Amino acid sequence: MIEIKNITKTVRSGADDLTILADVSLEIPDGQFVAITGASGSGKSTLLGLIAGLDAPSSGEILIDGENITVMNEDGLARLRSDKLGFVFQSFHLIPSLTAFENILIPLEIRGEKDAKERASNLLQEVDLTNRGHHYPNELSGGEQQRVAIARAFANNPKILLADEPTGNLDSRNGQHIFELMTALHDNKKTTLILVTHDQELAEKAERQIRLRDGKIISDKENSQG
Amino acid sequence: MQFIFNLTIREIRSSWRRLLFFFLCIAIGVGSVVALRSLIQNLSLAVGTDARALLTADFEISSTNTFTPDDISRIESVINKSTLIEARNETITTAAMTRPSNATQEGLQFVELKGIEPPFPLVGTFNLSNGKPFDFKLLENKGAVVAPLLLEKLNLKIGDKIRIGEADFEIRATFDEEPGGQSGFRLGPRVFIEKKAFEETGLTRSGSRIRRRILYRTSDNPTPVVKELREALKGTILTVQNYRETQENMGEQFVRTENYLSLTGLLILVLGGIGVWNVARVFVEQKRKTVAVLKCLGADSRKVIFVYLLQILSLGLLGSLFGIVLAQLTMWFVGWRFGTELPEKMSYNLANSAVWQGMILGILISLLFSLLPLLQIRQIKPSLLLRDTNNQQMRRLDWTKTLFAIFTLGGILGIAVWQAGSWKVGTAFLVGLGVTSAILYVAAIILTKLLRQTKKFSSFSISQAVNSLYRPGNQTRIVLLAVGLGAFVVLAVQSLQANLVREFDFTRNEKLPNLFMVDIQRSQIEGVKQLTAEVTKEELNPVATVRTRIAMVDGVPIDYQQKEVRQNQGQIGREFAVTYRPKLEENETVIAGKWWDENPSKETEVSVVDDMARTLKVGIGSVITFDVLGRKINATVTSIRKIDVRNTRTVFMFVFRPGTLEIAPQTFALPIINKIPAVERARFQRRVIDAYPNVQIFDVQDILTTVTKLINNFVLAISFVGSFVMLTGILILIGSVSLTKSQRIYENAILKTLGAKRGSLFTILFTEYAILGLLAGLIGAFFATILSFAVTKYILEFDWEIDYGLILIGILVTAILVTLVGTLASFDVLFKKPLSILRSQ
Ligand SMILES: Nc1ncnc2c1ncn2[C@@H]1O[C@H](COP(=O)(O)OP(=O)(O)OP(=O)(O)O)[C@@H](O)[C@H]1O
Ligand SMILES: [Mg+2]
């Protein structure tokens, strides 16, 4: 369960303060598929980053499974990410010096998993890239890179998967593929999935849709078919 | 940790190429330290630090005069009651001229003559060239055992006779190695004769420089006897030498030399450290995204830092190992190139202790210099993956960093002190290096600022080139510092050499004699003058010389019990040739006191050279007690002189006022200034020796050749080491080029899509490095000139001349080198296809 309590995020830009998120409160139960939409600059990525503890809010608190992550130090956050969180980014962010296979291996090795290699190759198989494992990111297409990123995100069986416009850099066919992969994994593993997207069509497929404007939630509705 | 280990290996796989230069910087630094240390250690082994073997005894008593009955009784009073003495012998040595006894055979040779008596040697072994042990019978009835070189020089063979002084000796054998070894500077090959026979040469009568020694072998540590002897001999001019003390002094000297020289290696290593720092800094900058991803995946800062630290340590280790290989190669090169000038028994293998030190140094330096940049990893925020902000907080200093900075500085200081073997020298080294680097760095900043001001470049390429010197993450200042430092060291050495060689270019000294005769007896002087005048047709001015030693200064005997005094023995305890004359010479100036008027005086006055006055701590009015063949003369210092050595024919530390020394036993020296052709010179020398066998003739030209060769070798050695500083600078340049390459590739791709031709891209590249090289050359040359001026003027204390040619060549060579290396290292950039680059960005 993710509890977001009255968080505000302001940054200094030049002389005055810029409010990016204003008093946002939200609860996301385990296993829910939430889509966050909104215009560019409305604060979607910022919200996602705060949930992951990538940044600290200016005020308010965020609890993940009852643990307040806003007061955690870097090491605590690292452990949290390792145990519970997975990420998928718009621009993939694979480590360029490692092969696809090794990229997937990283989170497993950080946790010190015994059967890391075996699990990594299973994951590779799940995203249908078995024979591309030894390739470096720059040898893969965007869609393929994103599939590796998804495999990496699911490697440590996260309770929560955070995805920031994972299809934004891909054409619609590839985007569709990625989306299906993520929802399938969500269904199989009962992962909480928080998806930031511009794509209204995709957002409609989520269980719940949250719309942001100027750092505020302007709508929060459960989708009927979700 | 498995994760850290795995990731380290994978990261090395992808980035070793970029870190290669880091690896080479460390390798060259470590190589220099190891090679220099090994060289000195092997040298000291080859020269022999076994003082007992060098002395061929446990202790000796030596004198430049015959031992007086008083001396003998003082010595015996101590020796007779000592239970330590095992054996004793006496030797007598001098330098003498020798020639074949056969008057028709040409040739003349300086030899070092040694008269010995059994048992000889007291310590060590003495084997002949034919492999048999030395037998004293060989010397009986005027036999001689000689170094093979003498046979070669005079074209003689065993069984031939040589004439030394007034006596003929039959060469009975040669030896390859004598007890005491071939150490130090020698005037000529060694000749052994019987001590009894020495008197028959007549050399002892003629007042030649003769040293007599009584040597003792003891059953135990000789120190107590030596102490007693010194006490008993106080006030005499006899000196007592204990092999243990000599051993200590020699050991200390070698260790000190080794430590100082290895500082040069450390300089290179620290410069390599700067390269490491630079690589680590840029590396972290470029790895920001990877670090952020790792953090996103749940790795904490410590783990990530460990990954990169481990990576750098592995490369540091590899670099050190490679450095050791380089050191061995250098040693073999030295053996091949300089083998003939180094001791025969010298080993060219690496010394174990040097290898260990090198390894430790290489790893420590890699660690210390990369730690601070790696700490930046802590400040990389994973949120940059969501929005790519320039992580501006990266530069901020915090407590941890300050702490680590202090730790790093402390570590480097520790290394410097450890390597120098002294707090003072180590600190001075680090401060000196710090100040020099700071000055060079500031100069680099100022120059680049100035360049930026002059924005009026008409050409697109040139203004692009200047711009790229300021691109974000540019390496301009670090390259200027590194290459500038290299140019600085090399040019400073070169400039010093130029001034040194000019100073010692005796051909510019018109007063410098061509030949120099010494030990001419009063009764011989007219004859010698006549003989010489026939050949050289010049006005001859013989100089009377009296041999003395300093017994006391202001009534205080020189205390050889004191360690410092013993170490200074060469300077004040030695025998001095002094003269007396009414006038100052042209090249002398009185700097304190007053020169006497020309009348002889019964009051004994002496004029002292400034350096000597400083060493003896005497001033006007001090009284120095001289010992002239046992007679004590008290002389009052009435003036202190300075000698312009460049325009001199003689250098007398002490000059007396006429009136006292005229009656003392004395010999004459005769400088011959006119040049005599080589063949005639040899004949003339032979004629003089035939008639006056005790006279010694120095061929100044020969000595000069030796000295010049010595200086040149010395300078060559320093330049060799200096060139490694330059090499490290160039490596840092290459490293910087490869570090910023991806950026340049990207820029070039954009410029290409905007329509820039390959030609103009090349011009930009070329111009950028030409400017960089020119600036580095300017900085290096400028500060090298200042250093060479300061050292020449204030430390070596002679005139300094600016050498425009050297400066110009220095700047040009640096500029060309940097342009060439920089352009070549980035050349492939020009041929990258823009599409692939833009797509992958
Ligand atoms: N560190 C920062 N400094 C200044 N402004 C920031 C910072 N982070 C975010 N912003 C601003 O906050 C606003 C929200 O940013 P955010 O990235 O969350 O938007 P977004 O909804 O993800 O937009 P997009 O759909 O374009 O990705 C933007 O106007 C952005 O400029
Ligand atoms: Mg966004």
Side-chain angles (χ1 to χ4, degrees), chain B residues 84-389:
Chain B
L84 294 176
I85 309 297
E86 273 186 1
R88 135 188 219 287
N89 71 21
E90 286 185 35
T91 66
I92 169 168
T93 52
T94 190
M97 309 292 288
T98 182
R99 61 181 182 83
S101 296
N102 177 356
T104 57
Q105 198 178 341
E106 289 202 359
L108 189 64
Q109 177 64 42
F110 247 112
V111 293
E112 301 221 332
L113 191 62
K114 186 170 194 168
I116 57 177
E117 62 174 21
F120 184 88
L122 291 180
V123 168
T125 49
F126 190 10
N127 287 319
L128 302 175
S129 301
N130 58 17
K132 288 191 189 131
F134 168 76
D135 182 348
F136 208 83
K137 286 205 185 72
L138 291 168
L139 300 186
E140 282 167 9
N141 299 317
K142 297 246 196 94
V145 171
V146 306
L149 183 65
L150 182 68
L151 299 188
E152 199 182 301
K153 289 261 181 180
L154 290 181
N155 201 13
L156 294 170
K157 55 188 188 309
I158 290 173
D160 285 343
K161 285 191 169 177
I162 46 173
R163 167 159 291 208
I164 304 169
E166 295 157 4
D168 291 312
F169 293 87
E170 185 191 339
I171 299 174
R172 303 248 171 86
T174 63
F175 62 87
D176 290 333
E177 201 182 328
E178 63 176 294
Q182 178 86 34
S183 65
F185 176 75
R186 285 229 167 143
L187 279 171
R190 168 76 77 204
V191 172
F192 285 99
I193 57 171
E194 229 182 336
K195 179 167 172 280
K196 273 199 313 228
F198 204 98
E199 310 291 336
E200 295 171 41
T201 61
L203 295 174
T204 46
R205 267 178 286 126
S206 61
S208 304
R209 263 164 299 252
I210 286 170
R211 184 168 278 269
R212 293 162 204 269
R213 295 182 167 87
I214 309 176
L215 302 141
Y216 293 94
R217 190 173 67 220
T218 56
S219 54
D220 203 348
N221 184 355
T223 309
V225 194
V226 168
K227 207 166 166 196
E228 272 182 69
L229 266 174
R230 289 213 178 106
E231 201 53 46
L233 293 174
K234 222 172 207 171
T236 70
I237 53 163
L238 304 188
T239 53
V240 187
Q241 218 183 338
N242 176 350
Y243 89 90
R244 292 203 169 219
E245 293 159 358
T246 321
Q247 182 86 67
E248 228 174 80
N249 289 350
M250 281 197 310
E252 276 173 23
Q253 263 166 32
F254 268 115
V255 168
R256 213 174 303 141
T257 315
E258 183 189 332
N259 285 341
Y260 285 6
L261 269 181
S262 76
L263 280 184
T264 326
L266 189 61
L267 170 68
I268 298 170
L269 198 52
V270 169
L271 196 61
I274 296 178
V276 169
W277 171 77
N278 190 35
V279 169
R281 200 173 54 102
V282 178
F283 191 60
V284 169
E285 195 83 26
Q286 291 177 350
K287 286 280 178 190
R288 271 173 63 217
K289 273 225 170 93
T290 301
V291 170
V293 170
L294 287 173
K295 285 187 172 180
C296 252
L297 297 179
D300 55 51
S301 294
R302 224 167 316 121
K303 273 184 201 146
V304 182
I305 290 180
F306 260 117
V307 167
Y308 291 104
L309 202 59
L310 203 60
Q311 192 174 345
I312 281 182
L313 281 186
S314 333
L315 285 175
L317 183 74
L318 278 179
S320 304
L321 285 174
F322 186 55
I324 288 163
V325 173
L326 284 184
Q328 182 62 73
L329 291 178
T330 310
M331 292 291 275
W332 283 333
F333 172 78
V334 168
W336 168 73
R337 172 69 180 73
F338 300 101
T340 52
E341 277 138 58
L342 289 167
E344 230 175 275
K345 285 191 300 178
M346 171 115 173
S347 146
Y348 295 99
N349 294 325
L350 297 178
N352 276 337
S353 67
V355 169
W356 280 116
Q357 290 199 21
M359 291 289 290
I360 293 170
L361 275 177
I363 293 171
L364 273 184
I365 292 275
S366 322
L367 185 68
L368 283 176
F369 278 89
S370 57
L371 213 53
L372 219 48
L374 287 184
L375 280 181
Q376 307 276 29
I377 286 179
R378 290 176 317 134
Q379 277 150 352
I380 295 176
K381 290 242 162 64
S383 61
L384 74 87
L385 296 178
L386 292 172
R387 62 171 24 257
D388 196 1
T389 48

Side-chain angles (χ1 to χ4, degrees), chain A residues 75 78 81 93 97 102 109, chain B residues 6 11 13-14 302 385:
Chain A
D75 287 358
R81 285 177 211 132
H93 289 319
S97 53
E102 287 164 351
E109 285 185 341
Chain B
N6 283 348
E11 281 285 88
R13 184 190 61 200
S14 78
R302 224 167 316 121
L385 296 178

Side-chain angles (χ1 to χ4, degrees), chain A residues 95-100 102-103 106 135-137, chain B residues 7 10-11 13:
Chain A
I95 296 177
S97 53
L98 303 181
T99 62
E102 287 164 351
N103 263 286
I106 289 286
H135 286 248
Y136 285 92
Chain B
L7 190 58
R10 291 182 197 134
E11 281 285 88
R13 184 190 61 200

Side-chain angles (χ1 to χ4, degrees), chain B residues 22 140 196 281 302 326 347 423 489 508 538 548 564 592 597 615 637 690 713 734 760-761 797:
Chain B
F22 149 74
E140 282 167 9
K196 273 199 313 228
R281 200 173 54 102
R302 224 167 316 121
L326 284 184
S347 146
W423 272 101
V489 172
R508 302 213 306 188
E538 68 185 64
T548 66
E564 290 164 57
D597 55 53
T615 313
V637 178
D690 282 346
N713 275 340
I734 301 178
S760 44
L761 291 180
E797 293 184 345

Side-chain angles (χ1 to χ4, degrees), chain B residues 599-805:
Chain B
N599 308 322
S601 160
K602 283 278 153 268
E603 295 295 312
T604 311
E605 293 179 28
V606 67
S607 172
V608 186
V609 165
D610 50 356
D611 287 338
M612 198 53 188
R614 230 172 291 138
T615 313
L616 288 174
K617 301 194 181 75
V618 294
I620 305 300
S622 301
V623 176
I624 305 175
T625 307
F626 290 91
D627 181 298
V628 182
L629 292 174
R631 262 193 52 211
K632 302 281 190 290
I633 299 173
N634 292 318
T636 310
V637 178
T638 55
S639 67
I640 293 180
R641 283 166 305 139
K642 199 178 166 64
I643 304 181
D644 176 7
V645 269
R646 278 193 304 176
N647 252 327
T648 191
R649 59 181 80 166
T650 55
V651 177
F652 285 102
M653 291 292 158
F654 303 97
V655 175
F656 282 67
R657 178 169 185 171
T660 313
L661 289 183
E662 282 83 346
I663 51 160
Q666 55 200 277
T667 62
F668 291 82
L670 186 66
I672 297 164
I673 292 164
N674 281 358
K675 295 232 180 329
I676 314 169
V679 178
E680 211 178 316
R681 192 165 63 213
R683 291 226 179 88
F684 165 67
Q685 291 182 47
R686 177 65 184 269
R687 271 178 69 196
V688 173
I689 296 302
D690 282 346
Y692 309 102
N694 60 291
V695 171
Q696 298 185 5
I697 311 176
F698 292 94
D699 196 323
V700 177
Q701 209 50 53
D702 278 356
I703 298 174
L704 283 191
T705 315
T706 315
V707 170
T708 312
K709 205 167 155 197
L710 223 77
I711 293 182
N712 283 343
N713 275 340
F714 182 66
V715 167
L716 192 67
I718 297 186
S719 304
F720 188 63
V721 176
S723 64
F724 277 92
V725 180
M726 189 67 182
L727 185 60
T728 312
I730 290 291
L731 276 178
I732 290 179
L733 167 68
I734 301 178
S736 302
V737 169
S738 69
L739 283 174
T740 49
K741 205 171 217 168
S742 57
Q743 198 165 356
R744 179 184 293 281
I745 290 173
Y746 185 57
E747 276 170 21
N748 275 358
I750 294 178
L751 286 173
K752 271 184 191 173
T753 59
L754 297 179
K757 287 197 207 76
R758 196 171 282 166
S760 44
L761 291 180
F762 176 76
T763 317
I764 293 173
L765 188 67
F766 184 84
T767 315
E768 182 183 334
Y769 286 108
I771 293 173
L772 208 56
L774 215 55
L775 291 184
L778 274 175
I779 290 174
F782 181 71
F783 290 104
T785 309
I786 289 184
L787 182 76
S788 132
F789 168 78
V791 169
T792 312
K793 193 89 185 167
Y794 300 108
I795 297 179
L796 302 174
E797 293 184 345
F798 50 73
D799 289 336
W800 179 80
E801 279 175 35
I802 190 159
D803 192 336
Y804 292 105

Side-chain angles (χ1 to χ4, degrees), chain B residues 408-426:
Chain B
T408 304
L409 262 181
I412 299 168
L413 179 66
I415 288 179
V417 170
W418 170 43
Q419 285 297 296
S422 131
W423 272 101
K424 229 171 89 185
V425 179

